[in-house]
Amino acid sequence: MLLTITNRTPDATDLGHLLHKHPARSHAIDLAFGKGLIFYPVARQDECKAVLSVEVDPIDMVRSPGARQGGWALGQYVNDRPYAASSFLSVAISRGLGTALNGRCTKRPELVDKLLDLEVCLPVVPAGDGEMLKKLFEPLGYAVETERLPLDPAFPAWGESRYHKLTLRAMTPLHLLLKHLFVMLGALDRAKHYWVGQDEIDKLLAKGEGWLATHPEKDWIVRRYLKFQKRLAREALERLAPEPEAEEESEETEDIATEPAVEKKISLHELRLDRVTELIASYQPGSVLDLGCGDGKLIRRLLGQTKIPKVTGMDVSSRALEVAHERLERLPPFKRQGRVEIFLGSLVYRDSRLRGYDVAALVEVIEHLDADRLDSLEEVVFAAATPQRVIVTTPNREYNVLFEGMKPGALRHADHRFEWTRSEFRIWAERVAGKHGYEVAFEPLGEEDAEHGPPSQMAVFTRRDGGNSTVPSPKEEEQPAQANTRPSRSRRSEEFFSPEARTLVRELPPVEASEVCHLHLGGKARGYFSLPDGHWILRAESTLIGHWAEAYDTDSAADVAAALTALPWQENDTVYFFTGRSLVTESTWAAFVRHWMDFLAIEDDEPVVTNLQRPWEALIFNSGGGIRYLTGEPPSDP
């Protein structure tokens, strides 16, 4: 596959400075899936042309876990991956042109944001009738030219293909053009070659900063880039939404929408919330209290990523709670109904509503209180409410010297009343723990500097009467990490099921899961991509019975449920949902039809559904959005 970038601005060879690749020679790139090469067929002062050529290793493609493409047996041999612009090209741009993509040019920094007369050519782009190419690029200021390619020039009667030659022209900085290509190629590719997880949201938002939030096809781009994973797409769109400005200044917490500017480069706000969510989930509590909840970001994470039965938030700002309420309403009903409550209150007055919680969290809250009111907070939280665990995070003042442009002695945010060093925080936390019958452990948040420590710090208090006399560090209390080259979306599949569905499904223990995989899939297969050669599913007659992706994205389960109900499977048939990993979930057919969206929240990349009573039939939910009903004659002992 090829990407050609032409610069026709005067002194056009400045393109070499921006790409960090000298025009006088070629530059090889090592890629996990093949080889890349950057070269300049034209390098004049009036025109400079750079070409990125990517050669995908076909043998590596066949041997890779995601080798079978297109839902048919020969898909691993007959596909467009070696030549059509796809996620392979996005990765090659990141690896080979990463410095330019990220807007850095050490020798000629003035070139980074300079408007250049650029032209881009992609010879083969999968795009259906081609209209979406114009919808994607024209709002960004490009002149778009497309030429639809024939299926085979030697056989005109075969008609046109879904592939186009794409040419883009614009006056734009190079780094912005590369970011546009990086995101759009990922969105146009329906079969990304790499695992799409939580980190892809950050990557998408970083490359889409300044333009994606206002793009008219924003929803389409986000859903496609994240492979129709509803949970990830919803979070990304939520983070792209403009943050309402709070009308009132919170006494105990900053408006969450205004992260201190000095911290934005290292994304401390998201890091804190992610780590606190992860830690709370590891405790498996029955109830959580978010004190100083602001607009509810931690609450939404807990509702969306865990099955904690009761999540409560309190804040002193009525405006912040209004925003929190509006955003919580965007969650699917089964994620929030009966689980969440938010109310107005203060951390300096005792409140009976705060009692009886397993975990309380104060994320970047205490520094917004006047120092002489910390004693009141201590009495309210540790003496009166007495949760089993209390998680407190606060900035580390020692780290401030490392923030660019921050004046000596200044605080990170205008509403901070104080900021503590590590020793000051430790002294306070240990005194509070000793006085109120808790033990405390400390954890750094963010990348630590050898001299100044981490940018933020966390203390976890555990009540001594909880049954443990010694409190391990927060890291030690988590589940041990599993050795896995592909990250799991959850420790347990049941975390993705609604309370009603959880009573109708069963995650098979490892030994039983292995036996069921062997019986239904054969050999050591765990899903579609690892089916052994010759398996009946790969040779089965395939019928498209519906489309799940749009219904999944819009919470419209009825149409898919109707298509599934029309199959000859009986309500009480036992069905198995195979994720492609060692995780297998069992339910009745009626339960699967009713809760199919919960199953696809576990895995939506070609999951397989088999029927114990009808072993010659199966379902596959294609990653492109189709539902295929397979029928065949399986051997008696696969």
Side-chain angles (χ1 to χ4, degrees), residues 12-40:
T13 52
D14 284 345
L15 183 65
H17 287 291
L18 286 167
L19 296 178
H20 283 246
K21 301 291 185 290
H22 198 285
R25 61 187 183 88
S26 60
H27 307 264
I29 310 168
D30 290 327
L31 301 168
F33 47 81
K35 296 181 293 185
L37 184 68
I38 298 172
F39 59 94
Y40 294 80

Side-chain angles (χ1 to χ4, degrees), residues 165-476:
K165 177 182 178 182
L166 173 65
T167 303
L168 305 173
R169 298 181 183 87
M171 292 291 294
T172 181
L174 177 65
H175 71 90
L176 194 55
L177 178 145
L178 292 175
K179 288 169 182 172
H180 293 159
L181 290 176
F182 181 91
V183 172
M184 298 310 189
L185 291 176
L188 288 165
D189 187 1
R190 295 185 298 178
K192 280 191 175 68
H193 72 283
Y194 56 82
W195 173 256
V196 175
Q198 190 75 24
D199 59 335
E200 285 299 305
I201 297 179
D202 295 329
K203 193 185 302 182
L204 171 63
L205 298 188
K207 300 300 186 290
E209 184 177 2
W211 62 271
L212 181 55
T214 57
H215 197 290
E217 298 296 332
K218 171 183 64 179
D219 290 8
W220 188 92
I221 294 168
V222 169
R223 290 198 303 269
R224 295 275 300 218
Y225 184 92
L226 296 172
K227 286 187 68 174
F228 295 99
Q229 294 190 46
K230 185 178 178 182
R231 176 175 58 86
L232 299 182
R234 181 182 290 113
E235 180 178 340
L237 290 169
E238 185 177 278
R239 288 168 62 179
L240 282 169
E243 299 278 4
E245 295 183 3
E247 295 175 358
E248 302 179 29
E249 191 68 25
S250 170
E251 174 185 346
E252 295 147 359
T253 182
E254 70 188 279
D255 175 15
I256 297 300
T258 56
E259 178 182 2
V262 294
E263 295 184 350
K264 286 184 178 178
K265 288 187 177 181
I266 53 178
S267 303
L268 268 181
H269 183 58
E270 299 296 325
L271 184 150
R272 293 180 191 116
L273 292 174
D274 289 342
R275 177 59 188 140
V276 171
T277 301
E278 179 184 34
L279 191 57
I280 290 173
S282 73
Y283 298 143
Q284 299 183 352
S287 57
V288 176
L289 178 63
D290 183 9
L291 296 169
C293 65
D295 66 0
K297 286 187 177 179
L298 177 60
I299 294 175
R300 295 198 301 277
R301 277 171 164 78
L302 293 172
L303 293 174
Q305 300 177 25
T306 75
K307 289 297 180 182
I308 297 170
K310 182 179 181 181
V311 181
T312 302
M314 184 187 82
D315 201 277
V316 74
S317 169
S318 59
R319 173 55 183 157
L321 292 178
E322 289 175 8
V323 175
H325 178 76
E326 292 170 2
R327 294 183 177 179
L328 289 171
E329 285 294 302
R330 301 175 191 171
L331 293 175
F334 75 84
K335 292 283 188 183
R336 53 182 164 82
Q337 286 181 353
R339 297 178 62 201
V340 63
E341 178 186 9
I342 56 176
F343 54 80
L344 192 69
S346 172
L347 279 172
V348 298
Y349 298 103
R350 291 197 178 208
D351 191 328
S352 60
R353 296 174 297 178
L354 306 185
R355 294 189 59 85
Y357 287 86
D358 295 327
V359 179
L362 296 94
V363 180
E364 306 299 291
V365 168
I366 61 173
E367 63 272 13
H368 293 270
L369 290 173
D370 291 323
D372 59 2
R373 307 191 81 175
L374 287 178
D375 289 344
S376 299
L377 176 144
E378 178 185 332
E379 290 297 312
V380 169
V381 176
F382 295 92
T386 64
Q388 179 63 39
R389 286 186 173 91
V390 182
I391 300 173
V392 179
T393 76
T394 192
N396 169 25
R397 191 178 75 213
E398 298 166 77
Y399 195 90
N400 289 356
V401 298
L402 300 179
F403 288 118
E404 295 179 7
M406 191 167 181
K407 297 179 181 180
L411 301 181
R412 298 185 194 179
H413 191 275
D415 191 51
H416 285 188
R417 303 298 194 263
F418 64 88
E419 288 172 2
W420 277 333
T421 64
R422 286 170 290 174
S423 62
E424 288 171 336
F425 183 46
R426 181 177 289 271
I427 290 170
W428 175 82
E430 289 178 345
R431 181 190 62 78
V432 170
K435 179 179 178 181
H436 297 285
Y438 285 77
E439 292 182 342
V440 63
F442 299 91
E443 179 180 321
L445 292 175
E447 184 176 351
E448 290 191 77
D449 178 78
E451 179 181 355
H452 303 290
S456 197
Q457 48 194 335
M458 177 168 67
V460 178
F461 300 81
T462 301
R463 217 169 56 206
R464 289 198 185 97
D465 62 1
N468 291 326
S469 59
T470 303
V471 182
S473 70
K475 287 287 187 185
E476 295 171 344

